[in-house]
Amino acid sequence: MKPPPLEHVAPASVEEAVALLGEAGDEAKVLAGGQSLMPLLAFRLARPGLLVDLNRLGTELGGVRREDGGGLRVGALARQREVERAGLLGVLGEALGMVGHPAIRNRGTVVGSVCHADPAAEMCALAIALDGSLELRSVRGTREVAVDDLLTGPFTTTVEPDELAVALRLRPPEGWRWRVLEVARRAGDFALAGVVAGLDATGERGRVAVFGAGPRTYRVEGAAAGLVDRAVDAAAPVGDLHGGAAYRRHLVGVVARRALAQLGAAAA
Ligand SMILES: Cc1cc2nc3c(=O)[nH]c(=O)nc-3n(C[C@H](O)[C@H](O)[C@H](O)COP(=O)(O)OP(=O)(O)OC[C@H]3O[C@@H](n4cnc5c(N)ncnc54)[C@H](O)[C@@H]3O)c2cc1C
């Protein structure tokens, strides 16, 4: 199937992109790497009247860099493969290596993946594990919102239709160690379930962000002892032809326990 008729505009500046979104409201969709949006258009699951294409805005929206305080800023047009290769944050590269295939990651963006809010997306889990936030710009101004507060359900967020995400900020707490583990039927497939797990320097406190096991990615944190059970208790997976709900819930426990054990948590 082909996308329905629509207008395509490739603005020459972020200011112009934001103005276009402000005028069009919920008639418009932002196009970044297109790795999720183009299939949605082709299946006519999305029917925007206007596509605001960011792909001329590499200078303003590209790049990934360290920020003061140990954080990382990923621009909205930084491709997943570029961020993976930059090697600035081990756990980010590890998680990106599990997103689709290199061809997908050559086009797809980290910020686009967070905005898409797939409950099985590695990037959403990584963002909530590492206290990530999106910088959102619109004609009404700029706001910075924690990704954990943005995700409301499958493929839904509180990003307003006239808002452009310009960057993702990640703020890994100091001294923590991280591990990403998932179970997928084939390399490159979406995970049946997965976790981004972290432990502090003492090994006594940890976090587990879970993907593929509920309507949105979620995070549990606190004493390392009992973290696996809490991650499993919070799971609300829906079964499909790739794996039943009980199996996916079981997988959450398996990958959370393994990840924490690999990080050295005695209680895992
Ligand atoms: C074969 C295949 C395998 C895949 N496997 C995986 C996988 O294993 N794990 C995984 O997580 N994903 C996977 N994906 C999905 C895909 O990799 C990501 O969802 C994608 O990279 C999202 O980024 P994008 O730049 O392509 O976003 P787009 O497709 O351009 O946009 C996605 C959505 O986000 C919105 N958006 C994008 N950028 C912005 C912005 N700056 N501001 C506001 N809204 C914005 C768009 O309007 C759209 O609604 C796969 C895709 C394919 C085709």
Side-chain angles (χ1 to χ4, degrees):
M1 217 191 260
K2 294 278 183 285
L6 51 79
E7 192 186 344
H8 170 267
V9 185
S13 68
V14 168
E15 200 183 340
E16 193 189 333
V18 164
L20 284 164
L21 290 172
E23 278 165 31
D26 52 14
E27 269 297 296
K29 271 270 176 203
V30 172
L31 175 70
Q35 297 306 298
S36 293
L37 185 54
M38 294 313 290
L40 287 178
L41 291 173
F43 284 114
R44 302 201 171 196
L45 293 169
R47 290 173 167 267
L50 174 69
L51 269 193
V52 178
D53 184 343
L54 303 184
N55 285 282
R56 285 174 66 199
L57 305 180
T59 310
E60 276 185 273
L61 294 181
V64 50
R65 60 175 157 83
R66 284 212 174 85
E67 291 195 307
D68 293 346
L72 208 66
R73 183 186 190 276
V74 185
L77 211 54
R79 311 288 173 180
Q80 292 160 354
R81 193 82 172 129
E82 168 196 348
V83 176
E84 185 184 351
R85 285 187 162 159
L88 294 179
L89 185 61
V91 63
L92 176 58
E94 199 182 334
L96 279 168
M98 297 175 186
V99 177
H101 307 278
I104 306 291
R105 304 199 292 274
N106 279 338
R107 292 297 300 168
T109 63
V110 173
V111 169
S113 183
V114 173
C115 291
H116 188 55
D118 190 316
E122 291 85 354
M123 287 304 104
C124 292
L126 184 98
I128 64 171
L130 303 190
D131 293 333
S133 60
L134 277 187
E135 183 184 330
L136 299 166
R137 207 171 295 174
S138 72
V139 287
R140 292 169 288 116
T142 299
R143 64 183 181 126
E144 181 99 20
V145 187
V147 174
D148 206 10
D149 295 333
L150 278 176
L151 303 174
T152 50
F155 310 102
T156 52
T157 68
T158 57
V159 177
E160 298 290 343
D162 68 341
E163 284 182 314
L164 177 70
V166 294
L168 170 72
R169 286 202 169 76
L170 298 171
R171 300 175 187 81
E174 213 183 318
W176 283 53
R177 290 161 294 127
W178 300 93
R179 196 72 233 271
V180 189
L181 279 187
E182 67 176 41
V183 175
R185 294 186 62 183
R186 299 170 305 186
D189 281 2
F190 276 99
L192 293 172
V195 295
V196 178
L199 268 191
D200 75 357
T202 67
E204 284 172 13
R205 289 188 63 77
R207 287 180 185 173
V208 176
V210 179
F211 52 99
R216 50 156 288 184
T217 52
Y218 61 89
R219 161 177 135 180
V220 294
E221 66 181 321
L227 213 49
V228 173
D229 288 343
R230 291 175 52 208
V232 174
D233 288 347
V238 176
D240 61 17
L241 76 166
H242 301 299
Y247 177 57
R248 285 170 185 256
R249 180 189 295 276
H250 168 73
L251 288 181
V252 172
V254 171
V255 286
R257 189 170 298 108
R258 272 187 203 160
L260 288 169
Q262 288 174 12
L263 290 168

